[in-house]
Amino acid sequence: IDWKTVKTYEDILYQKSDGIAKITINRPHKRNAFRPKTVFELYEAFWDAREDTSIGVVLFTGAGPHTDGKYAFCSGGDQSVRGQAGYVDDSGIPRLNVLDLQRLIRSMPKVVIALVAGYAIGGGHVLHLICDLTIAADNAIFGQTGPKVGSFDGGFGASYLARIVGQKKAREIWFLCRQYNAEQALEMGLVNTVVPVEQLETEGIQWAQEILEKSPIAIRCLKSAFNADCDGQAGLQELAGNATLLYYMTAEGAEGKQAFLEKRPPNFRDFPWLP
Ligand code: 2NE
């Protein structure tokens, strides 16, 4: 596949090719931990992929291996910039801006696939979790560390994890802060499949290409339907937004707008009240 760089960033790589965007956290010396700048850059790239009508699937991954031979998807918030009220950016403002990124990934009407080689730990584990699909390399290691390092994610990190692996397992993952290998993750439904690490990107591209053969609106509505089951009124808003989008595409919806613009009463009499 012929990846073309979209824009050059400091902490991430952003490429596209043939309907697929690839976003890579590029801080392997920190096991791809994110600082506020990393998250701002990720947000911009994900937003661009969301807006690009030629893009249907985003592959989200971490650069590696590092010079010590180890791989990481992401090891969560960069603890070296953690201040009293969050992760401190270049202008001294403490932030938890990864929460904005989580919501963008979850709500964008494109399929986001996490490609996890090595560590997906802490806030990095939550990032793979909220992706639509996860393909794990055989060397992947999953886990939460919050209660060990003085942090926690009680949002998607807790409630959505419990939806995926069940309440008992989710509590075990958070309360004991153990690490789980790729096979264990597969067994608990945390990932979709496991492949040899050298095959990770190829497998991701294969899954993306299969998805790109499908109907964009069907996938879009399904994603928002899955979200609506968990996300309360925000989830319903997403699902209902798609209903409005589809309604605007009908002659019936267009008649209302046209009548208003032509300053005449609308004529809905020709449209059936379907059973
Ligand atoms: C990921 C893990 C298990 C890897 O262990 P290992 O032994 O393979 O590597 P090592 O030596 O720990 O790390 C390599 C280098 O990366 C840095 C380390 O400090 C080390 O740097 P040097 O000593 O070579 O200079 N590094 C790794 N992770 C980092 C991090 N998160 N922040 C800053 N530097 C990091 C092991 O490294 C590990 O356990 N890392 C910490 C995982 C963690 O606790 N993350 C934060 C959880 S809290 C969070 O992410 C969060 C949240 O809970 C709520 C909202 C937002 C964020």
Side-chain angles (χ1 to χ4, degrees), residues 29-31 33-34 70 75-80 87 96 98 119 121-124 145 149 151-153 179:
H29 59 293
K30 295 250 183 187
R31 303 282 186 252
F34 54 78
K70 286 196 176 181
S75 63
D78 185 331
Q79 298 303 295
S80 66
Y87 298 85
L96 278 170
V98 75
Y119 293 103
I121 294 283
T145 60
V149 300
S151 183
F152 64 93
D153 182 338
Q179 293 181 354

Side-chain angles (χ1 to χ4, degrees), residues 171-274:
R171 287 167 202 234
E172 172 193 314
I173 289 169
W174 273 104
F175 295 172
L176 278 70
C177 297
R178 286 184 183 169
Q179 293 181 354
Y180 303 84
N181 65 30
E183 281 308 320
Q184 290 169 310
L186 184 64
E187 202 175 311
M188 61 175 119
L190 199 52
V191 305
N192 295 88
T193 191
V194 179
V195 297
V197 66
E198 0 14 285
Q199 230 174 281
L200 185 61
E201 181 170 312
T202 312
E203 189 74 15
I205 292 166
Q206 171 65 34
W207 283 51
Q209 285 169 342
E210 277 185 50
I211 292 165
L212 290 170
E213 296 306 315
K214 309 297 183 293
S215 154
I217 288 188
I219 300 277
R220 174 192 186 98
C221 290
L222 281 166
K223 177 162 176 170
S224 64
F226 285 122
N227 288 351
D229 183 41
C230 308
D231 291 0
Q233 289 195 330
L236 287 175
Q237 184 214 32
E238 251 179 62
L239 189 62
N242 287 324
T244 307
L245 178 153
L246 290 169
Y247 179 57
Y248 278 12
M249 291 163 78
T250 65
E252 183 181 332
E255 165 60 12
K257 174 202 72 173
Q258 207 53 36
F260 174 80
L261 292 178
E262 292 170 8
K263 300 189 187 302
R264 61 170 172 82
N267 176 13
F268 290 117
R269 283 298 176 134
D270 295 341
F271 299 102
W273 295 79
L274 293 171

